[in-house]
Amino acid sequence: PTAKFTRLTEIGFYLQILGEVVLGSLDNGMTRGEALQEILTVLNTLTQLQNPANGGRLGLLRTAYNLDPALQPGTTEIGFGENVNLSQSIAVMVGILQTVILPASLQAIEANVIAAAEIFLDNQTTGYQQFYDSGAGKFHAVYNTASSQYTPNFYIDRLANEFRSGVAFVVTRYPGISVNAWNNLVTVNRTYQDQFGQNVTNLVPFDGGAFQMFWPLLWSDEQDRASM
């Protein structure tokens, strides 16, 4: 049978798409007002899912949710990566809205959308703070609600990882989390030799996937930063 579910990353990208519709850079058939109302509906639903009765924990959400039945937790795992992907997308969406000059008739709902986004993000504060392991100087990767513990010895620990910009976002936005979570990301290199015998040093993703290198560009401007 076909599984009907969605993940937090996909929900976040949907919000970014809707933000682009409001900006006027994308046409998906919605008006600006319809896109804003859809964003508000999604944010309100996500905030409801933060409630422990709906599977949330300290403001963080389960990694995946079933769509049939609707919005039932599809896993016992709360993943740092999926949550930060969603958080970044919400922040990007807010940034898009703040660049748009909307007609007066839409400014009230725009303000409501931005307020709802900030409420959702603020609700995550304690969850992200507890994901940080001060002893290891890194973020845990997964909390399992079935065992009520973080997966042992499983950390967000590589720079070449699709969640690296999420680490930077959480360290920057939320208080009480050491910058060591970013500074301790490990850089692993390998040398590739081309057909001419020239050696090329590459930054290595944790399991070789190119998307782990490039996904952060969907949220941040790494290419514009010389240090990266």
Side-chain angles (χ1 to χ4, degrees):
T2 301
K4 296 182 179 180
F5 69 94
T6 189
R7 298 170 69 93
L8 301 185
T9 298
E10 283 70 28
I11 296 171
F13 287 155
Y14 180 51
L15 290 172
Q16 287 185 235
I17 289 170
L18 292 172
E20 296 291 343
V21 173
V22 177
L23 180 63
S25 62
L26 179 66
D27 182 5
N28 71 342
M30 287 182 174
T31 66
R32 285 180 164 184
E34 289 170 341
L36 282 167
Q37 184 57 58
E38 178 72 356
I39 292 171
L40 187 58
T41 298
V42 173
L43 289 172
N44 288 337
T45 301
L46 290 172
T47 301
Q48 292 172 12
L49 293 177
Q50 289 180 312
N51 191 311
N54 296 323
R57 180 180 183 272
L58 302 177
L60 302 184
L61 307 183
R62 304 290 180 93
T63 296
Y65 287 85
N66 294 321
L67 298 177
D68 185 18
L71 296 179
Q72 297 298 310
T75 176
T76 61
E77 293 185 345
I78 295 176
F80 175 85
E82 289 281 344
N83 273 277
V84 294
N85 284 355
L86 174 60
S87 299
Q88 289 178 99
S89 287
I90 290 174
V92 169
M93 180 272 298
V94 169
I96 291 171
L97 296 186
Q98 290 175 335
T99 67
V100 182
I101 300 176
L102 292 174
S105 60
L106 296 179
Q107 290 176 8
I109 188 171
E110 178 193 36
N112 289 339
V113 165
I114 293 174
E118 294 296 340
I119 288 171
F120 178 85
L121 293 173
D122 288 345
N123 288 347
Q124 296 181 306
T125 302
T126 303
Y128 283 134
Q129 287 171 340
Q130 291 200 8
F131 250 85
Y132 179 68
D133 182 339
S134 59
K138 302 170 186 174
F139 285 112
H140 291 284
V142 173
Y143 180 89
N144 197 305
T145 60
S147 63
S148 297
Q149 65 180 9
Y150 297 98
T151 302
N153 301 314
F154 187 22
Y155 294 100
I156 305 298
D157 59 2
R158 285 255 186 134
L159 181 67
N161 183 295
E162 69 267 33
F163 305 135
R164 69 175 172 272
S165 59
V167 171
F169 176 78
V170 171
V171 168
T172 301
R173 190 187 195 282
Y174 295 97
I177 299 174
S178 173
V179 72
N180 287 337
W182 172 263
N183 292 337
N184 288 338
L185 294 177
V186 177
T187 301
V188 178
N189 297 315
R190 294 287 186 273
T191 300
Y192 167 78
Q193 189 173 77
D194 67 16
Q195 61 181 321
F196 304 108
Q198 297 173 320
N199 292 328
V200 180
T201 301
N202 290 311
L203 192 61
V204 181
F206 79 94
D207 67 357
F211 78 94
Q212 293 160 3
M213 293 292 294
F214 303 131
W215 265 34
L217 295 173
L218 294 167
W219 297 288
S220 59
D221 60 348
E222 289 181 349
Q223 291 185 117
D224 297 333
R225 298 181 181 275
S227 60
M228 290 294 289

